[in-house]
């Protein structure tokens, strides 16, 4: 039997982590639909989130490099 627990409260996360095999910590709470296979839209939203996350990381690194080299 698979049991998945998720909570947005710190005390709830501690209890679920200790009592379930697959506790969802942090942003995994919002990916529950994709984990349960609810549909292709859930998997697509996770892919888009990953792409946007990498774009933010690259823009931050690019801005830091531009500042370091005196471009801005």
């Amino acid at each position: 039997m698979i049991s998945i627990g998720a909570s947005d409260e710190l005390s709830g996360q501690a209890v679920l982590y200790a009592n379930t095999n697959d506790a969802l910590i942090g942003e995994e709470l919002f990916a529950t639909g994709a984990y349960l296979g609810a549909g292709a839209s859930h998997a697509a939203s996770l892919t888009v989130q990953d792409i946007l996350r990498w774009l933010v990381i690259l823009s931050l690194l690019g801005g830091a490099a531009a500042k370091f080299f005196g471009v801005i």
Side-chain angles (χ1 to χ4, degrees):
M1 182 164 121
I2 296 174
S3 63
I4 298 175
S7 174
D8 61 349
E9 304 240 353
L10 188 57
S11 58
Q13 288 179 4
V15 170
L16 289 171
Y17 187 76
N19 292 322
T20 61
N21 295 332
D22 301 311
L24 301 178
I25 305 287
E27 68 183 23
E28 291 178 337
L29 171 68
F30 303 110
T32 307
Y35 289 149
L36 297 176
S41 63
H42 290 285
S45 71
L46 290 180
T47 302
V48 170
Q49 288 175 24
D50 287 341
I51 291 169
L52 293 175
R53 183 178 297 120
W54 279 107
L55 289 175
V56 168
I57 290 169
L58 291 174
S59 66
L60 288 172
L61 291 174
K67 184 70 172 177
F68 180 75
F69 291 116
V71 175
I72 57 172

